Amino acid sequence: MESSRKIKIDIFPDVSIYRKLGQKGYKLDAALSELIDNSIDATVKGSVTTVKIHIGKDNGEGILVEDNAKGNTQEEVEDMIILGKSKKQDKLGEFGIGMKAACSSLGSKYSILTKSKDSEEEYLLTFDESKFEHNKTWADFEFEAIKPTKNWHGTSIYIEGLRDDLKVYYNKIERLKEQLSRRYSPFLEDKTLRIFVIYGSTLPEELKPVAPDYERKYKIEFDFDGSKIEGIFGIMKRSSQVGYYGFDLYKNNRLIKAYVKRPFIRAHPENAKLRGRLNLDSVPTTFSKDEFIDDIEGSELFNRLGKKFNAEINTLLKEYNRDKQKERKRNRIIRSKEILMAAEAEAKAEAKSIVSTYSRVPPNNPLKVRFFGIRQPKKISEAEETERSTSSNSGTELDKFLSVDSKAIDYYLSKKSKDIEAFVKYRNKLLAKSKYNFGDKK
């Protein structure tokens, strides 16, 4: 008797596999992104791919996603419903799972109508979860070949029997628009993709690329493990206090992870203005394309990538800081000049006001003592007054005062410190040296 024997088994998955794939936990934006990915992969060379997403206001209306890409041939439609079968390489839909899993996560039934550009037939494939599970067979799955009624190419996917937990409302649609705009920003920026969202009976809204409000940004490019890494590094005008900083990681221009900090930078307020984007086309992702296979924060690959990236951005940060220092110095000089010019203008105006006021006050008026801080001249005899009035250098008392004040104003404006008390003291000094005897201050 033999000690062992071989037993053959059928390892076809259970027919419930499609429904269970849909239970992966796709959110609305992630599920629709799987369908958009396929549209991008099918872009007609040299043209713009347009994707329109129609979402009903209640679960009974379903979801329709249609594009004007190149569509699918009969052979591609045959492969379309087979789990894991894909002939794509280095494309977004390389796993052959995303479309089936995404549609099953949204609803229990979906129909795909597609036509390639040169085909004389269009193809209609319908997957009904309840019927498929009821038949309990993988064989004899059918789709229709139809004579087209118009000349077109592209793919339309209609999903119905929406899941009960898929609750659609206005704020959720607004978040969806923002998420899709960020996820496909590189395509939207270079205008190779247009995405429109129609919610209920509202007009189509075209999504725009999302870009940080950079004060300065740099293009970066470096070699890593034999592959070229490209991206953008920048400093935002304002720091984020809610964690919206760090780096968005893309593969084939499609966002995989947003606001990643470690191992590229520390999660710290001093880095809250740093923002950027890295294209990691050579780094493998999970089939759901929401994670990289290697752990971002702990894997040896990302640690090495972080060190390489830090070396690149540190050079740029030093350049930025040098430029900022020069700019601050330049601004200080400009500001200082503005302050000096304003102070000089104010001093001139004040000095002119003093002279103007002084000129209108009679020589022996006590206001001159109180307002200008100088003493009145002592009374002199008639003989002395006659002598002074007949002197070759004589003039009216007011002229003498104005002449002194003119010199005092020049002195005042020549000083860096525009101190009105210094002006008064200097003027008193000039007056003391004049022919007038002002006596001692009290």
Side-chain angles (χ1 to χ4, degrees), residues 293-435:
I293 291 177
D294 289 272
D295 179 41
I296 292 176
E297 292 195 12
S299 71
E300 184 267 342
L301 182 143
F302 272 96
N303 283 335
R304 287 190 296 108
L305 180 59
K307 289 179 181 178
K308 181 73 173 176
F309 181 75
N310 271 315
E312 296 291 325
I313 68 169
N314 283 339
T315 302
L316 297 175
L317 279 173
K318 288 178 182 177
E319 177 187 330
Y320 170 79
N321 289 330
R322 282 196 302 268
D323 291 346
K324 289 298 287 185
Q325 287 178 348
K326 291 178 182 177
E327 183 181 338
R328 284 193 291 269
K329 185 176 180 181
R330 196 162 49 244
N331 288 340
R332 281 198 301 269
I333 293 172
I334 293 171
R335 181 60 182 152
S336 296
K337 287 182 177 179
E338 290 174 348
I339 292 172
L340 288 173
M341 288 172 66
E344 185 173 348
E346 183 181 350
K348 285 180 178 179
E350 190 172 6
K352 286 179 180 178
S353 175
I354 290 172
V355 173
S356 175
T357 304
Y358 191 92
S359 67
R360 294 195 296 272
V361 179
N364 294 319
N365 193 308
L367 179 62
K368 288 203 172 187
V369 177
R370 186 171 68 252
F371 185 79
F372 294 101
I374 61 172
R375 300 286 297 165
Q376 294 184 39
K378 283 185 177 181
K379 291 183 178 180
I380 57 176
S381 66
E382 292 183 7
E384 289 176 318
E385 179 65 33
T386 302
E387 180 184 352
R388 288 179 180 177
S389 62
T390 56
S391 172
S392 60
N393 295 324
S394 67
T396 66
E397 187 175 275
L398 180 59
D399 290 339
K400 292 289 184 181
F401 275 118
L402 290 179
S403 175
V404 167
D405 272 343
S406 178
K407 293 179 181 179
I409 289 171
D410 290 340
Y411 169 81
Y412 177 73
L413 296 178
S414 69
K415 294 299 180 182
K416 291 183 179 179
S417 175
K418 301 295 189 294
D419 184 356
I420 195 64
E421 290 184 6
F423 167 74
V424 173
K425 288 179 181 178
Y426 185 71
R427 184 181 52 191
N428 286 339
K429 185 178 179 182
L430 292 177
L431 290 170
K433 292 179 179 180
S434 71
K435 294 182 179 180

Side-chain angles (χ1 to χ4, degrees), residues 31-61:
L32 293 175
S33 293
E34 293 286 1
L35 308 185
I36 296 172
D37 289 348
N38 289 336
S39 298
I40 293 171
D41 287 343
T43 294
V44 178
K45 189 174 181 179
S47 67
V48 177
T49 296
T50 300
V51 179
K52 295 180 181 178
I53 303 170
H54 306 256
I55 302 175
K57 281 198 171 182
D58 60 65
N59 283 18
E61 296 182 30

Side-chain angles (χ1 to χ4, degrees), residues 284-295:
T285 66
T286 60
F287 79 85
S288 56
K289 288 168 278 191
D290 56 359
E291 295 282 355
F292 290 95
I293 291 177
D294 289 272
D295 179 41

Side-chain angles (χ1 to χ4, degrees), residues 175-374:
R175 284 200 302 273
L176 170 69
K177 295 173 186 175
E178 181 184 348
Q179 289 160 338
L180 295 181
S181 295
R182 180 177 292 111
R183 184 163 291 143
Y184 296 103
S185 273
F187 293 102
L188 300 175
E189 284 172 6
D190 63 21
K191 303 187 186 304
T192 58
L193 175 68
R194 300 178 73 189
I195 301 175
F196 294 85
V197 175
I198 303 101
Y199 177 48
S201 58
T202 60
L203 293 172
E205 181 178 342
E206 184 172 3
L207 304 188
K208 303 298 181 184
V210 175
D213 189 12
Y214 286 119
E215 176 187 338
R216 185 180 300 186
K217 69 176 181 178
Y218 307 86
K219 286 188 177 181
I220 53 177
E221 183 179 313
F222 58 91
D223 292 324
F224 179 75
D225 284 0
S227 300
K228 184 175 290 186
I229 304 293
E230 296 179 333
I232 292 172
F233 165 69
I235 296 92
M236 296 188 292
K237 291 180 180 178
R238 295 177 179 83
S239 61
S240 171
Q241 304 304 316
V242 290
Y244 292 158
Y245 64 96
F247 298 88
D248 295 340
L249 305 184
Y250 285 76
K251 179 169 183 176
N252 296 328
N253 280 335
R254 197 256 206 203
L255 179 65
I256 307 299
K257 294 291 289 185
Y259 306 118
V260 175
K261 296 160 183 68
R262 295 180 59 192
F264 305 108
I265 58 173
R266 280 195 312 144
H268 192 276
E270 69 183 13
N271 292 326
K273 291 179 72 175
L274 303 185
R275 196 80 171 86
R277 180 172 83 202
L278 278 179
N279 298 318
L280 306 180
D281 295 346
S282 61
V283 182
T285 66
T286 60
F287 79 85
S288 56
K289 288 168 278 191
D290 56 359
E291 295 282 355
F292 290 95
I293 291 177
D294 289 272
D295 179 41
I296 292 176
E297 292 195 12
S299 71
E300 184 267 342
L301 182 143
F302 272 96
N303 283 335
R304 287 190 296 108
L305 180 59
K307 289 179 181 178
K308 181 73 173 176
F309 181 75
N310 271 315
E312 296 291 325
I313 68 169
N314 283 339
T315 302
L316 297 175
L317 279 173
K318 288 178 182 177
E319 177 187 330
Y320 170 79
N321 289 330
R322 282 196 302 268
D323 291 346
K324 289 298 287 185
Q325 287 178 348
K326 291 178 182 177
E327 183 181 338
R328 284 193 291 269
K329 185 176 180 181
R330 196 162 49 244
N331 288 340
R332 281 198 301 269
I333 293 172
I334 293 171
R335 181 60 182 152
S336 296
K337 287 182 177 179
E338 290 174 348
I339 292 172
L340 288 173
M341 288 172 66
E344 185 173 348
E346 183 181 350
K348 285 180 178 179
E350 190 172 6
K352 286 179 180 178
S353 175
I354 290 172
V355 173
S356 175
T357 304
Y358 191 92
S359 67
R360 294 195 296 272
V361 179
N364 294 319
N365 193 308
L367 179 62
K368 288 203 172 187
V369 177
R370 186 171 68 252
F371 185 79
F372 294 101
I374 61 172

